[in-house]
Amino acid sequence: MQLNLKNPLVFFDLETTGINIVKDRIVEISYVKVHPNGKEETKTRRINPEMPIPPESTAIHGITDEDVKDCPTFKEIAKSLAAQIEGCDLAGYNSNRFDIPLLAEEFLRAGVDIDLNKRKFVDVQTIFHKMERRTLSAAYKFYCDKSLENAHMAEADTMATYEILKAQLDRYLELQNDIDFLSKYSSFTNNVDFAGRMIYNEDGKEVINFGKYKGKLVEEVLKTDPGYYSWIMNGDFPLNTKKVLTEIKLRGFNSK
């Protein structure tokens, strides 16, 4: 089934130094850009993470320090990458919880102003887990009746994810071939920041989603506990979380 698209949809996958979105870095990015007319563009880039790649990460994706030592850094490709995904919606496998938050962190570190919040996100893993609850390799076998060769290589995982989404649309009649629908369906929570430290409640207001203030309105916490903002800003939290919290804080000042 060809996807029904209003905007180009970029399926992407990251290979990284680890799974900490604050501390770890991208070593490879691969994407398939699908246009509304069905045209597809594929690109894969190795990236120098400017830090050692742990052996346990190399064991998963096979990329070593030697492989990326002469590759560009993310900062060097950030502007061109931002231009390539400008105006596109984004899709991936476990992308809402990992790939998109990490990509947002890399753009912020590089000083590239790209508002990913304007995009629709489709997480194929979430659709799969809601329907069948398996792994990527099992999903590929289940939906496409193919074995996933070169698993944990960004390009192979990206292409498999693209094929799986099309097969999911063929299999499940309740799924609409519409990116707005798929974006909402593949989201577990209505996140304010990409890491989900803050979410929107039923009234559409931002609330804290962790710790002692979980469920409390962000604006109220900032008013009643002035030190909370400093704790977040000086703590080991994603740059995107700090940016969003600052925007809420400034909004409070401007409304006075």
Side-chain angles (χ1 to χ4, degrees):
M1 177 183 289
Q2 181 171 321
L3 297 179
N4 179 24
L5 303 178
K6 297 176 182 176
N7 305 311
L9 181 61
V10 173
F11 290 82
F12 77 103
D13 184 68
L14 306 177
E15 301 303 338
T16 65
T17 59
I19 59 174
N20 186 314
I21 64 173
V22 175
K23 297 179 179 179
D24 283 306
R25 301 291 187 268
I26 297 170
V27 297
E28 185 176 75
I29 180 169
S30 183
Y31 68 80
V32 178
K33 186 174 182 178
V34 185
H35 294 265
N37 64 4
K39 178 185 174 183
E40 300 172 10
E41 300 174 44
T42 302
K43 190 165 188 176
T44 300
R45 298 201 71 166
R46 290 273 173 91
I47 298 170
N48 185 334
E50 301 181 276
M51 65 179 290
I53 303 174
E56 56 268 27
S57 297
T58 296
I60 294 173
H61 49 57
I63 301 171
T64 66
D65 293 333
E66 183 69 20
D67 293 330
V68 296
K69 69 176 184 178
D70 297 323
C71 294
T73 64
F74 187 87
K75 187 172 185 178
E76 291 173 324
I77 70 161
K79 288 184 178 179
S80 63
L81 178 60
Q84 289 157 12
I85 65 175
E86 178 65 33
C88 302
D89 296 318
L90 301 174
Y93 197 88
N94 194 33
S95 49
N96 284 359
R97 292 182 175 180
F98 180 71
D99 299 82
I100 287 172
L102 182 55
L103 184 63
E105 288 296 290
E106 290 279 34
F107 276 126
L108 285 169
R109 280 190 287 264
V112 173
D113 185 16
I114 177 171
D115 190 356
L116 294 179
N117 288 304
K118 294 181 179 178
R119 316 303 169 83
K120 295 292 189 301
F121 304 137
V122 179
D123 192 327
V124 174
Q125 185 194 60
T126 303
I127 296 174
F128 182 38
H129 284 180
K130 284 186 174 182
M131 295 294 187
E132 305 294 344
R133 303 191 184 281
R134 304 260 179 94
T135 63
L136 175 60
S137 295
Y140 197 49
K141 182 67 176 177
F142 182 85
Y143 289 110
C144 305
D145 197 25
K146 298 178 183 178
S147 297
L148 181 54
E149 305 294 337
N150 299 319
H152 295 298
M153 292 185 64
E155 185 170 342
D157 289 356
T158 298
M159 291 302 299
T161 301
Y162 174 34
E163 290 186 47
I164 289 169
L165 179 59
K166 292 190 290 183
Q168 286 173 330
L169 289 168
D170 285 329
R171 177 178 288 267
Y172 303 115
L173 298 180
E174 62 266 42
L175 292 180
Q176 298 176 26
N177 190 354
D178 177 83
I179 297 303
D180 287 348
F181 173 87
L182 294 171
S183 175
K184 293 175 182 176
Y185 188 84
S186 61
S187 175
F188 275 116
T189 58
N190 196 7
N191 289 355
V192 177
D193 63 318
F194 292 126
R197 297 292 190 177
M198 293 168 282
I199 61 174
Y200 293 103
N201 64 13
E202 293 179 353
D203 298 323
K205 296 183 177 180
E206 300 101 337
V207 298
I208 304 295
N209 194 36
F210 73 103
K212 65 180 181 179
Y213 290 126
K214 186 172 182 178
K216 301 292 185 182
L217 290 173
V218 177
E219 288 186 344
E220 290 301 317
V221 172
L222 292 175
K223 288 178 183 177
T224 58
D225 185 354
Y228 188 78
Y229 176 78
S230 295
W231 177 68
I232 293 288
M233 299 306 290
N234 294 320
D236 192 19
F237 291 93
L239 294 175
N240 174 254
T241 300
K242 297 176 180 179
K243 179 175 181 286
V244 171
L245 187 65
T246 299
E247 290 170 352
I248 296 173
K249 185 177 178 68
L250 291 175
R251 186 181 68 202
F253 286 147
N254 294 333
S255 65
K256 293 179 180 179

